[in-house]
Amino acid sequence: MAIADVREFAHLTEADVEAVGRELDAVCADVEDSLGQADADYIRRVITVQRRLNVAARVVLLGSRVPPLWAAGTAMLAVAKILENMEVGHNVMHGQWDWMNDPEIHSSTWEWDTVCPASQWRHSHNYLHHTYTNVIGRGKDVGYEILRVRSDQPWHPYHLTQPVVNVLLMLLFEYGVSLHDLDIDGLVKAHIEDPAEFRSKIAEIGRKQARQISKDYVLFPALTGPAFLSTAAANAVANVVRNVWSYAIIFCGHFPDGAEVFAEEELDGETRGEWYLRQLLGSANFRGGRLMHVMSGSLGYQIEHHLFPDLPSNRYPEIAVRVRALCEKYDLPYTTGPFPRQFWQATRSIWRLSLPQRGLAARERRRQARGLRRREGGRMRG
């Protein structure tokens, strides 16, 4: 899909597209005007719960040589790491709570509990990903530069390995994210655009990884004395659980059926209304209870997050009501479904697209059913 197709796909006039933009701007303004103490209390409460859970897990793991204590401590630590990574770190670094003017809960000062440096993540995610959502050639999150996740992407024999690569990415997700801001394409082509910047970023990643590895696999295990090995194992399992969960949540929001991709050349002249439509059409939600959404960093509302990445995550449920009503008003798609189904669809696509041309015919049939033009050799056919 290209941006030029958005109006055709949605059966909207140019005036309709800009009206959608104005209505979504109004939603944003309404929420910003209503932010207050209750919102500040929410994020401080989540941070307090997360930190207490983390301390409790470390205390329990002092007895990690006892299997029930090992299991309990590992589970508590995994939940604490998920909370810190998803609902706290991800959203604080988006600037969702900068309006509080609290120097301890601010996008410019927060450093999260993963091997990815916060400064690099803010560039690769906040800027590149959220500006160029699902734009092939511009958005690095389209397959994380190692997976073929859309039939629009050229196939290479390397992609035959992607079912295995995908599993490795899932297990080591924080390490994959830590390399996200590097010029990987330039490295592969042996033509790095800015070698000095590349070396600087590599050094920063190395320092952050060294701190995290030392903390999880040396310092905290050493504090448990004779339980060193069992505590190190607990930390490793908690990190893997957090990685798998983060991977699943993020892939459910970007790669299930219904989440579209866009052509780079069509970004020229994109209006605010078209930008909103691209966020809406390129994202997918999943359903779940309040606890599920908190544990997922509120990214079960991925559509709302892409429309309003700077608004506090605790407001997404109420924003979703208004966004869904707007979609019904303008006959726009609102992709959502149960978490297991969304995850299966994303995984199935990755398996299928490891093979040449698989999924391309089905995609073209879906495009034609929606009244879109056929795509041949990367060009549109009327």
Side-chain angles (χ1 to χ4, degrees), residues 2-4 69 159 175 180 208 225 237 271 273 291 300 307 310 336 361:
I3 301 303
L69 294 180
H159 292 123
Y175 291 91
H180 202 33
K208 183 67 189 296
V237 170
T271 67
L291 179 60
L307 291 172
D310 299 336
T336 189

Side-chain angles (χ1 to χ4, degrees), residues 122-319:
R122 285 192 293 268
H123 177 257
S124 65
H125 184 82
N126 291 10
Y127 172 64
L128 291 178
H129 172 55
H130 278 275
T131 301
Y132 304 112
T133 304
N134 281 18
V135 177
I136 293 178
R138 297 295 291 275
K140 290 188 174 186
D141 284 47
V142 182
Y144 286 82
E145 298 186 289
I146 59 174
L147 298 175
R148 182 177 184 243
V149 295
R150 297 298 181 194
S151 57
D152 309 63
Q153 296 171 279
W155 183 85
H156 185 276
Y158 156 79
H159 292 123
L160 292 171
T161 69
Q162 80 176 26
V164 174
V165 171
N166 184 48
V167 171
L168 293 175
L169 175 63
M170 178 172 59
L171 297 175
L172 302 172
F173 192 59
E174 64 176 316
Y175 291 91
V177 172
S178 74
L179 304 178
H180 202 33
D181 200 37
L182 295 176
D183 183 11
I184 299 297
D185 186 58
L187 180 64
V188 171
K189 296 177 180 178
H191 184 68
I192 296 173
E193 186 173 334
D194 189 336
E197 180 185 57
F198 188 90
R199 289 192 297 270
S200 176
K201 287 183 176 181
I202 282 287
E204 185 181 20
I205 292 168
R207 290 191 295 270
K208 183 67 189 296
Q209 290 188 359
R211 287 197 299 271
Q212 289 296 120
I213 291 170
S214 297
K215 174 179 70 69
D216 280 340
Y217 304 117
V218 179
L219 175 61
F220 281 117
L223 293 176
T224 64
F228 182 97
L229 292 179
S230 56
T231 301
N235 289 345
V237 170
N239 281 328
V240 169
V241 169
R242 186 267 316 280
N243 288 343
V244 171
W245 180 254
S246 301
Y247 162 95
I249 294 300
I250 291 168
F251 272 57
C252 280
H254 296 90
F255 306 126
D257 296 355
E260 297 289 352
V261 293
F262 306 93
E264 179 181 3
E265 63 271 14
E266 295 293 335
L267 287 178
D268 292 341
E270 183 182 56
T271 67
R272 179 67 171 171
E274 289 171 342
W275 183 87
Y276 273 132
L277 284 178
R278 178 160 58 82
Q279 306 307 314
L280 173 65
L281 299 175
S283 309
N285 286 3
F286 61 79
R287 296 193 289 269
R290 185 59 190 147
L291 179 60
M292 174 71 166
H293 286 302
V294 171
M295 290 297 292
S296 66
S298 298
L299 295 181
Y301 298 103
Q302 189 71 243
I303 292 171
E304 288 70 28
H305 176 61
H306 274 276
L307 291 172
F308 310 112
D310 299 336
L311 293 183
S313 59
N314 64 309
R315 294 300 194 95
Y316 288 159
E318 65 186 77
I319 293 172

Side-chain angles (χ1 to χ4, degrees), residues 80-147:
K81 283 179 173 287
I82 288 171
L83 274 175
E84 196 283 331
N85 190 207
M86 304 298 287
E87 184 70 345
V88 180
H90 170 270
N91 294 329
V92 169
M93 289 193 297
H94 256 298
Q96 294 180 7
W97 310 97
D98 286 2
W99 57 272
M100 294 165 50
N101 293 318
D102 184 336
E104 294 185 3
I105 309 175
H106 197 277
S107 61
S108 64
T109 59
W110 193 273
E111 184 62 69
W112 56 352
D113 183 31
T114 80
V115 298
C116 176
S119 60
Q120 293 189 30
W121 186 87
R122 285 192 293 268
H123 177 257
S124 65
H125 184 82
N126 291 10
Y127 172 64
L128 291 178
H129 172 55
H130 278 275
T131 301
Y132 304 112
T133 304
N134 281 18
V135 177
I136 293 178
R138 297 295 291 275
K140 290 188 174 186
D141 284 47
V142 182
Y144 286 82
E145 298 186 289
I146 59 174
L147 298 175

